[in-house]
Amino acid sequence: MPIVLIVLFGYAITTEIRRAPIAVLDMDHSEISGKITACLDASDYFDLAYEVRNIGEAQQLFREGKIRMAVVIPDKYASASHPQGAIQLLADASDPNEATQLTAYATAIITQWAAANRLPRPQLDTDQTIALYGAPQGIRADVLLLYNPQMLGAYNFVPGVMGLILILICAMMTSVGIVREKETGTMEVLLVSPVKPIYIILAKVTPYLVISMVNIATILLLARFLLGVPIAGSLALLIFLSLLYTLVALCLGILISTIADSQQAAMLISSMALMLPVMLLSGMIFPIENMPDILQWVSNIVPAKWYISAVKDVMIKGLGFSAIQKELGILALMVLVLVAISVKRFKIRL
Amino acid sequence: MNNGIRIQQISKSYGSVQALEALSIDIAPGELFGLIGPDGAGKTTLFRILVTLLLADAGSATVCGLDVVRDYKALRQRIGYMPGRFSLYQDLTVEENLNFFATLFKTSLQENYALIRDIYERLEPFKHRKAGKLSGGMKQKLALCCALIHKPDVLFLDEPTTGVDPVSRVEFWDMLERLRNQGITILVSTPYMDEAARCNRIALMREGRCLSIDTPEHIRQAFSDVLIAVHGTPMYPLLLELRRYPGVHSCFSFGDAHHLTISQSQAQAQGTATFIEKLKIRLTEQGFSDISIKTIPPGIEDCFMALEEQPAGI
């Protein structure tokens, strides 16, 4: 499963930009503006689909969904007498991630081209027509991307998939494993034996802990060598972090097993109570900063949020222990609380 | 060795359903005690309370002198429990299951081999077969082995012969008798009345109450009415006809015959032989064929039916 997920997210469900259709409104008609246009078109990211004559046409194309970004080159942009004229980038920010990426790519391409031709650094104006969080028109954005200059999706989803897979395998499998014993009646015999409940729990948890460790290794190897995501920080810290998170997930699984009475119920609770929050509220797919306050608040109790953020810090940004102290602390606290609740709830009787 | 069972005023209800109602039973050490009753009589609930799996709402119970609530940890070492449902690991082999349970109780197959040798010898040819692929009788023998592996003082068997063929059932009871002879107290439940005769004492249970506790002999002797078996065709109209017939106290269908009781007063008034003669003439007139009527000694099931008829609480 981890291999399938990694490949699926890596290739099929890609959030990267490939040949996005754009429109150019060239009011300058100079040699330079032509070269800028050609340069954008030549890149892998953009496909010059339309050349429009005024801003209204561009907006019409946006509404029809035919283009995803428009580049506006103002009149006399290239003339020396108006050095402050700025190229305006308009992107459809109904998909904010994509809009950010599009403008970032375009900015990078134009800046590079200018540098290569020893021209003064062009001024760019990033604007997002359906502004969700975009800069209002007129403000000059100097976009500088840290850590993931190419905006590769893998940088975002590898920590996300790790967070998802670990919680799925550990919590779902543990809960289903324990509940299955209840269903087949073997739990009845186990409970009557003198074995302490803690040993039953440990015996159920250990195999899944091992499986998760193998999964972490698989994901990291795939991420590093197949998708080219670097592991910038300490590998030991990353593994320690993952172990802590795995413990949280295992405790969640035990907790679910004390609530559910059938395997189906355990599966349902696991997927509803774990998978959805992890997918939606951890920042894996949707940035938490964009959420309403209440959801941002709720996201704080999703362990995956802290794990994913810490993994990003260590793996992508290469930060050390001190940077993820807060996340480690919160995860450790979660383990303690969950262990306390599940041991209290684990029934020594039927 | 005090390995008796004492049940005092145990009550348990699930929501509005009263599973056990102020049940009290004393089981002597080394006794083979049977709980006889139909499904829903509360047998499994009683078992679960005694093996420390359930908490009673009221009342107390001790097994081997240990309280089932307070001393549950010590008690779990000394009892063997075989739940009504096959509760071993179906995907483990016979041998693996035995070793697993031996390990749970910190013992080994060799250590208590003497106790289970009789039973295990029959299983040995299949020891590499998965437990889930065994026949019903074999499964029960394996479960019994697993429950015995730690040499328990008291053995709890919840419906061990349900779903087992008649030959295996007889074999199974032979094994239980041998275990009893080794001093193990055995509490066994069964819905099959014919198995009751093999117990030292039985408790007839219905709807969480004990109808009667005694030896099978005494229970049969306590049956005061005259019992007559009537056979004839067609069977169902015959049952209805018999129930209408004057002097018949009760009539139940028992497989190939109807068992009817006539009250003591009736039997004395006209004599059983006369009653049978008159009944035979009447049934022939009604057009029933293959009629055979004879008095029979009461079985446990007849006693159970008779006790069931009585108003509650007696």
Side-chain angles (χ1 to χ4, degrees), chain B residues 85-246:
Chain B
R85 206 158 40 118
F86 182 66
S87 302
L88 301 178
Y89 292 91
Q90 313 243 5
D91 40 8
L92 294 186
T93 65
V94 170
E95 207 175 18
E96 285 166 340
N97 262 303
L98 276 168
N99 283 329
F100 175 75
F101 281 96
T103 315
L104 275 189
F105 287 92
K106 296 194 174 70
T107 173
S108 67
L109 187 53
Q110 286 72 34
E111 211 168 306
N112 293 314
Y113 188 67
L115 192 63
I116 58 166
R117 193 181 53 222
D118 285 357
I119 315 166
Y120 186 63
E121 271 168 2
R122 289 161 203 265
L123 283 169
E124 200 136 27
F126 309 102
K127 70 179 181 186
H128 294 302
R129 192 181 284 192
K130 295 232 176 356
K133 298 229 155 69
L134 292 173
S135 69
M138 284 292 176
K139 277 184 182 169
Q140 295 309 80
K141 279 171 203 155
L142 175 59
L144 183 61
C145 275
C146 288
L148 280 170
I149 198 124
H150 58 294
K151 207 168 192 301
D153 297 330
V154 185
L155 197 53
F156 293 90
L157 309 171
D158 191 4
E159 302 202 358
T161 52
T162 301
V164 174
D165 66 272
V167 178
S168 295
R169 274 167 57 189
V170 172
E171 265 178 23
F172 199 87
W173 278 93
D174 290 343
M175 290 169 188
L176 293 190
E177 259 170 36
R178 277 200 291 276
L179 291 170
R180 195 256 329 268
N181 292 338
Q182 298 187 32
I184 298 175
T185 309
I186 302 173
L187 180 62
V188 58
S189 74
T190 176
Y192 302 120
M193 308 279 172
D194 54 324
E195 293 180 343
R198 309 208 47 173
C199 301
N200 294 121
R201 284 197 304 154
I202 55 171
L204 297 180
M205 279 182 75
R206 189 175 150 251
E207 286 170 11
R209 274 193 296 261
C210 252
L211 302 173
S212 172
I213 305 174
D214 216 328
T215 62
E217 289 312 305
H218 284 148
I219 284 184
R220 274 205 290 269
Q221 280 161 21
F223 192 83
S224 53
D225 298 336
V226 176
L227 190 70
I228 297 170
V230 183
H231 176 83
T233 41
M235 284 292 269
Y236 186 64
L238 180 67
L239 179 69
L240 298 180
E241 175 61 28
L242 288 172
R243 281 184 175 164
R244 274 200 301 269
Y245 192 75

Side-chain angles (χ1 to χ4, degrees), chain A residues 185-193 350, chain B residues 43-54 75-85 87-88 101 105 142-150 152-160 187 189:
Chain A
T186 41
M187 190 55 103
E188 214 173 324
V189 192
L190 283 184
L191 284 175
V192 173
S193 75
L350 275 184
Chain B
K43 302 186 300 275
T44 300
T45 306
L46 181 61
F47 270 107
R48 287 185 169 168
I49 288 172
L50 291 178
V51 299
T52 76
L53 281 177
L54 272 184
L75 191 53
R76 286 178 181 185
Q77 308 264 13
R78 298 186 55 183
I79 54 176
Y81 172 47
M82 184 175 150
R85 206 158 40 118
S87 302
L88 301 178
F101 281 96
F105 287 92
L142 175 59
L144 183 61
C145 275
C146 288
L148 280 170
I149 198 124
H150 58 294
D153 297 330
V154 185
L155 197 53
F156 293 90
L157 309 171
D158 191 4
E159 302 202 358
L187 180 62
S189 74

Side-chain angles (χ1 to χ4, degrees), chain A residues 81-241:
Chain A
S81 56
H82 292 85
Q84 61 269 73
I87 295 176
Q88 203 179 35
L89 299 174
L90 296 119
D92 178 357
S94 55
D95 182 343
N97 289 334
E98 194 191 88
T100 322
Q101 288 191 33
L102 285 169
T103 53
Y105 285 142
T107 310
I109 290 167
I110 296 168
T111 314
Q112 264 174 24
W113 174 83
N117 291 276
R118 295 175 203 290
L119 288 170
R121 184 184 177 82
Q123 290 194 322
L124 293 167
D125 195 353
T126 312
D127 183 21
Q128 293 163 359
T129 47
I130 307 160
L132 285 179
Y133 67 101
Q137 191 158 9
I139 290 179
R140 265 135 226 210
D142 194 3
V143 184
L144 175 63
L145 287 167
L146 290 167
Y147 311 121
N148 185 4
Q150 297 161 278
M151 297 281 280
L152 284 175
Y155 282 57
N156 184 40
F157 81 78
V158 166
V161 168
M162 284 171 73
L164 185 66
I165 286 182
L166 288 183
I167 211 153
L168 271 188
I169 291 185
C170 300
M172 196 180 268
M173 306 295 236
T174 314
S175 60
V176 168
I178 295 180
V179 172
R180 190 195 296 129
E181 300 247 357
K182 280 198 212 172
E183 257 189 12
T184 55
T186 41
M187 190 55 103
E188 214 173 324
V189 192
L190 283 184
L191 284 175
V192 173
S193 75
V195 171
K196 290 201 178 77
I198 188 75
Y199 290 129
I200 301 181
I201 293 181
L202 280 180
K204 278 278 143 195
V205 153
T206 316
Y208 298 117
L209 192 65
V210 174
I211 294 175
S212 335
M213 289 298 101
V214 173
N215 274 327
I216 293 174
T218 318
I219 296 172
L220 289 179
L221 285 174
L222 281 175
R224 177 70 188 81
F225 295 107
L226 189 68
L227 301 171
V229 181
I231 299 169
S234 143
L235 188 62
L237 186 60
L238 193 60
I239 288 171
F240 172 71
L241 177 68

Side-chain angles (χ1 to χ4, degrees), chain A residues 194-347:
Chain A
V195 171
K196 290 201 178 77
I198 188 75
Y199 290 129
I200 301 181
I201 293 181
L202 280 180
K204 278 278 143 195
V205 153
T206 316
Y208 298 117
L209 192 65
V210 174
I211 294 175
S212 335
M213 289 298 101
V214 173
N215 274 327
I216 293 174
T218 318
I219 296 172
L220 289 179
L221 285 174
L222 281 175
R224 177 70 188 81
F225 295 107
L226 189 68
L227 301 171
V229 181
I231 299 169
S234 143
L235 188 62
L237 186 60
L238 193 60
I239 288 171
F240 172 71
L241 177 68
S242 302
L243 266 173
L244 191 62
Y245 178 67
T246 309
L247 278 178
V248 176
L250 291 173
C251 295
L252 273 173
I254 296 166
L255 189 63
I256 290 171
S257 74
T258 64
I259 301 167
D261 281 324
S262 66
Q263 291 184 55
Q264 283 92 335
M267 290 283 267
L268 211 66
I269 296 176
S270 306
S271 54
M272 296 297 279
L274 297 178
M275 206 163 148
L276 286 180
V278 171
M279 298 276 277
L280 303 178
L281 291 178
S282 67
M284 176 187 174
I285 295 179
F286 306 109
I288 292 171
E289 293 76 22
N290 297 357
M291 292 175 190
D293 287 349
I294 178 114
L295 282 183
Q296 289 199 26
W297 187 81
V298 170
S299 76
N300 284 334
I301 60 162
V302 179
K305 172 192 166 175
W306 303 103
Y307 175 70
I308 292 174
S309 122
V311 167
K312 280 183 183 166
D313 283 351
V314 175
M315 196 168 154
I316 314 289
K317 300 185 194 168
L319 300 178
F321 178 76
S322 54
I324 57 164
Q325 267 175 350
K326 183 180 163 200
E327 282 87 353
L328 286 176
I330 289 171
L331 288 175
L333 191 70
M334 285 178 171
V335 172
L336 287 181
V337 171
L338 288 171
V339 164
I341 298 176
S342 7
V343 167
K344 218 177 161 73
R345 282 206 50 126
F346 189 84
K347 291 174 202 132

